[in-house]
Amino acid sequence: MVKDKWNSYPAQGSGFFRFKEKLKFLKGDLKVWNRDVFGNIHTSKKRILQEIEDLDYQACNDVLWESDRLKRIELVSRMREAEKILDSLICQKARASWFKNGDSCTKFYHSSLRWRRLGNEVKGVEVGGQWCEEPSIVHVEGNKLFENRFKSTKDFGVRLDAIEFKALSSEDSLGLIAGFSEEEIRDAVWNCEGTKSPSPDGFNFNFIK
């Protein structure tokens, strides 16, 4: 399905632009395909759970037939698969939401920001053995501190004579500006963890692989 849809999309513009546009079209078609083939996963989970409860109720009041016992095993397996799909879906939605909204609207974010500001705040300085919180004096003393610490000197006390620094060979230097081969790109993608998503478009490395 993915291959047929991918080849049917129009291909105009640069390679990267075509790739981005095809992913956008494919995302919409995958939603339709998922709805037609798998239906609503939440509804399916509730239906499977209800069938399991019916069989359990039957087992409490009567003896299950062998066919019913095998059916319950199959339903439990389908239930676990549905929960696995739901977990993956929630993870993807949470990642996309974080990429889009970040932590700007959460109570935890504002609490962390407030405590960091309090920890970094300079309330006062000690001048001549006396604690002072006057803003103008704190400002002057702060400038003096950084001026004394970072002022330049004529002699840094560091000598680099006769020290051999490691350098790249000519072959390695050319390798830094060499083009990427298809094999190198494939190895880089296949070495990435499958559930990671480079962008909030919903396509993780498992899909790309």
Side-chain angles (χ1 to χ4, degrees):
M1 176 268 181
V2 173
K3 185 176 181 180
D4 294 339
K5 290 291 185 180
W6 187 271
N7 293 330
S8 66
Y9 299 141
Q12 295 179 355
S14 64
F16 182 79
F17 179 79
R18 294 199 307 269
F19 181 73
K20 179 182 72 70
E21 290 298 307
K22 285 188 175 184
L23 281 180
K24 184 172 64 176
F25 294 143
L26 182 61
K27 186 176 182 179
D29 289 334
L30 283 176
K31 288 182 178 180
V32 176
W33 173 79
N34 180 72
R35 183 176 64 250
D36 295 340
V37 176
F38 297 101
N40 190 309
I41 189 65
H42 295 279
T43 304
S44 300
K45 180 181 176 180
K46 290 181 180 179
R47 184 173 63 253
I48 294 173
L49 184 59
Q50 183 62 46
E51 293 183 18
I52 294 176
E53 291 178 353
D54 293 342
L55 290 175
D56 290 342
Y57 180 78
Q58 180 181 344
C60 293
N61 295 276
D62 197 0
V63 179
L64 286 178
W65 296 95
E66 180 66 18
S67 58
D68 293 331
R69 189 181 67 83
L70 294 176
K71 181 180 179 181
R72 189 184 187 283
I73 294 176
E74 180 186 357
L75 288 173
V76 171
S77 177
R78 289 168 54 189
M79 183 70 177
R80 291 176 179 174
E81 186 66 25
E83 290 178 346
K84 184 178 179 181
I85 295 175
L86 279 176
D87 290 340
S88 177
L89 181 62
I90 292 174
C91 182
Q92 288 289 328
K93 287 185 176 181
R95 183 184 293 113
S97 177
W98 186 90
F99 270 113
K100 182 179 180 180
N101 301 319
D103 295 326
S104 58
C105 298
T106 63
K107 182 178 179 181
F108 174 76
Y109 172 78
H110 289 288
S111 176
S112 300
L113 185 62
R114 182 171 62 255
W115 281 107
R116 177 169 293 184
R117 285 175 176 172
L118 291 175
N120 293 336
E121 183 179 2
V122 179
K123 298 182 180 299
V125 294
E126 187 174 342
V127 182
Q130 298 293 326
W131 181 257
C132 179
E133 296 185 1
E134 180 65 30
S136 60
I137 299 178
V138 173
H139 180 73
V140 172
E141 293 298 322
N143 285 340
K144 289 181 180 179
L145 173 66
F146 285 98
E147 286 176 358
N148 294 332
R149 179 164 295 184
F150 297 107
K151 66 181 179 181
S152 61
T153 59
K154 294 182 180 180
D155 187 5
F156 291 98
V158 178
R159 295 289 181 269
L160 301 178
D161 301 337
I163 297 179
E164 294 184 3
F165 292 96
K166 293 184 178 180
L168 293 176
S169 64
S170 300
E171 183 179 354
D172 292 336
S173 298
L174 292 176
L176 293 176
I177 59 175
F180 298 104
S181 65
E182 183 176 345
E183 291 74 14
E184 289 177 314
I185 297 176
R186 179 183 177 88
D187 291 340
V189 172
W190 256 252
N191 287 331
C192 291
E193 207 278 322
T195 59
K196 300 297 182 181
S197 180
S199 62
D201 57 6
F203 296 101
N204 59 19
F205 278 105
N206 276 332
F207 175 82
I208 296 175
K209 292 177 185 180

